[in-house]
Amino acid sequence: MEGGSNANLQLQQLPLATAAVSVQPHTEPFSYKENLIGALLAIFGHLVSSIALNLQKYSHIRLAGSKDPRAYFQTKTWWGGFLLLLLGELAVFSSYAFAPLSLIVPLSAVSVIASAIIGIIFIKEKWKPKEFLRRYLLSFVGCGLAVVGTYLLVTFGPNSHEKMTAENITRHLVSWPFLLYMLVEIIVFCLLLYFYKEKNANYIVIILLLVALLGSMTVVTVKAVAGMLVVSMRGDLQLDSPIFYIMVVCMVATAIYQATFLAQASQLYDSAQIASMGYILSTAAAISAGATFYLDFMGEDVLHICMFALGCLIAFLGVFLITRNRKKPVPFEPYISMDAMPGMQNMHDKGIAVQPDLKASFSYGALENNDNMPEIYSPATLPIVQEQHGPRGVPAPPYRVLEHSKKE
């Protein structure tokens, strides 16, 4: 009897255990709630950060002619933008603790959309309706595509949720998929760094690939740190584990080097190119890192993965169209270049002077002395005679041109 009752008890418990194991992450309503919280925090953070950066930029523009280079520290606009920037970055940081990494990273397109809308609203020039529509048509299309892509990302994003404990992070850190991914990333990073430093290959793709590879590790560590902080706030302390401080050090180091390469790229290339290409490369690298380290797409069906990829592509296209419509700064070029002097080699045409030689003809912009040149090469004078009134009702010409001769 006791054996039969134990067998019956085991049979009754077996379906419950099987059901608990077979539950898919995307069937839990709470996981959808966490995804929504994380997505809203990320959207709010990127929106506030974009407003903050534009406020600080407005403060710098207003004080552009000031003698004091730090005069913006005394303005309320700059400090208001600084506080908003801290609030936005805190919201983005918190969003990593709720939603998967592959969902949060592409939502940075919100900052590009917000910057484009703010630029159109606060533009100072007045345009006619047709000119305004023609000028900002690409921006409108890009914003629409970016919004559609963001909607697809939030709707079909990965729904895998895991408790960010020190034990789980350590297990992911020493897993074979991530170790293989890290080996490939280190090799690619070293090759790119060699071409960039030793071969002087200052191509924008190489610099932004370095930024993207560093950024993928930054977001992985940010999610680990944010998740462990949230778990600690809920009562399960994780701050006494060494893995937490390892992740903090990696997060700070990769963020600093990432900012260094971005600063170097901004000195060589236009900000619009950096914004569009940097967003595409960084998002692709971060999604790959999240899928390898946190297994974001584990248990997701093919339809959700394809729709998520489609949302990424649409968002990429939208950001590209928005940044492509930005004005490119036109550098000042003098009317007469110093390397265009007669008899000197020109760096633009590899030795062929732009202006003709003065020994053959008179040319404007010459820097040679013309006193000893023949008279036939000297410019003609046009003496002006005072206006003389003729008969009543017939005005005389206001001036007459005298013939130039050697007697004169």
Side-chain angles (χ1 to χ4, degrees):
M1 293 293 295
E2 293 180 359
S5 61
N6 291 335
N8 293 332
L9 182 60
Q10 292 177 0
L11 290 174
Q12 292 176 359
Q13 292 177 351
L14 183 59
L16 296 176
T18 304
V21 173
S22 61
V23 170
Q24 298 295 330
H26 60 272
T27 59
E28 296 180 4
F30 184 70
S31 62
Y32 280 115
K33 183 179 178 181
E34 286 187 334
N35 268 16
L36 183 60
I37 292 175
L40 291 178
L41 282 174
I43 293 173
F44 173 78
H46 288 301
L47 180 61
V48 172
S49 298
S50 179
I51 296 174
L53 291 175
N54 280 277
L55 283 176
Q56 289 184 330
K57 183 177 180 181
Y58 175 73
S59 178
H60 284 286
I61 291 175
R62 287 187 60 188
L63 300 175
S66 177
K67 297 181 179 179
D68 186 5
R70 299 183 178 181
Y72 54 88
F73 284 134
Q74 303 175 1
T75 61
K76 296 180 180 179
T77 305
W78 191 89
W79 283 108
F82 180 75
L83 294 177
L84 286 178
L85 183 62
L86 291 179
L87 177 62
E89 294 298 329
L90 180 61
V92 175
F93 179 80
S94 302
S95 66
Y96 285 96
F98 294 94
L101 177 63
S102 301
L103 172 61
I104 298 299
V105 172
L107 293 180
S108 58
V110 175
S111 61
V112 182
I113 301 174
S115 297
I117 295 175
I118 292 173
I120 293 175
I121 292 177
F122 293 99
I123 189 170
K124 294 182 179 181
E125 294 88 351
K126 295 182 179 180
W127 304 89
K128 296 180 180 180
K130 292 182 179 180
E131 295 179 355
F132 184 84
L133 182 62
R134 188 186 308 111
R135 179 175 179 82
Y136 294 101
L137 181 61
L138 286 180
S139 294
F140 293 147
V141 175
C143 289
L145 291 176
V147 170
V148 173
T150 303
Y151 173 78
L152 293 177
L153 290 173
V154 176
T155 305
F156 298 98
N159 212 20
S160 60
H161 295 270
E162 184 181 14
K163 194 175 182 180
M164 291 290 101
T165 60
E167 181 181 358
N168 291 335
I169 294 175
T170 305
R171 187 180 70 253
H172 288 307
L173 191 61
V174 298
S175 62
W176 284 108
F178 183 70
L179 291 177
L180 182 61
Y181 176 82
M182 280 297 300
L183 178 62
V184 174
E185 183 168 313
I186 291 174
I187 293 175
V188 174
F189 184 84
C190 292
L191 288 175
L192 293 174
L193 191 62
Y194 170 76
F195 284 107
Y196 177 61
K197 294 294 185 180
E198 300 297 332
K199 301 297 183 179
N200 294 326
N202 298 328
Y203 301 108
I204 186 172
V205 177
I206 293 180
I207 302 176
L208 294 182
L209 275 175
L210 292 171
V211 174
L213 294 177
L214 290 172
S216 64
M217 293 297 100
T218 303
V219 294
V220 166
T221 53
V222 165
K223 181 172 177 59
V225 172
M228 294 176 75
L229 287 174
V230 171
V231 171
S232 300
M233 292 178 183
R234 291 177 176 175
D236 189 3
L237 185 63
Q238 302 292 322
L239 304 184
D240 55 350
S241 177
I243 193 64
F244 174 78
Y245 300 98
I246 293 175
M247 288 294 177
V248 170
V249 172
C250 292
M251 177 183 67
V252 175
T254 53
I256 291 175
Y257 282 106
Q258 184 181 359
T260 302
F261 284 115
L262 274 177
Q264 295 174 6
S266 63
Q267 295 176 358
L268 299 174
Y269 297 98
D270 183 56
S271 59
Q273 294 179 340
I274 297 174
S276 60
M277 193 175 298
Y279 170 75
I280 295 172
L281 295 178
S282 298
T283 302
I287 291 175
S288 302
T292 307
F293 188 87
Y294 293 108
L295 304 177
D296 287 343
F297 296 96
M298 183 67 68
E300 296 290 335
D301 54 11
V302 179
L303 178 61
H304 277 73
I305 296 176
C306 292
M307 294 301 295
F308 178 80
L310 179 62
C312 289
L313 293 176
I314 294 176
F316 291 166
L317 180 59
V319 171
F320 174 76
L321 292 179
I322 293 173
T323 54
R324 185 176 179 82
N325 194 46
R326 291 183 180 178
K327 289 183 178 180
K328 295 183 179 180
V330 179
F332 172 75
E333 295 183 358
Y335 183 77
I336 303 176
S337 178
M338 293 303 295
D339 61 353
M341 294 174 59
M344 295 183 61
Q345 290 186 350
N346 190 294
M347 65 178 180
H348 299 293
D349 48 15
K350 299 181 180 180
I352 302 175
V354 174
Q355 297 181 358
D357 193 358
L358 283 179
K359 303 300 182 182
S361 63
F362 181 81
S363 175
Y364 172 76
L367 300 180
E368 293 187 4
N369 188 5
N370 300 329
D371 294 337
N372 298 326
M373 296 183 64
E375 288 185 283
I376 57 175
Y377 297 124
S378 60
T381 57
L382 301 177
I384 300 176
V385 181
Q386 297 291 335
E387 179 179 357
Q388 299 178 359
H389 296 279
R392 184 175 299 177
V394 182
Y399 63 87
R400 60 189 179 91
V401 179
L402 300 180
E403 294 182 358
H404 179 69
S405 63
K406 292 185 178 181
K407 293 181 180 181
E408 295 178 352

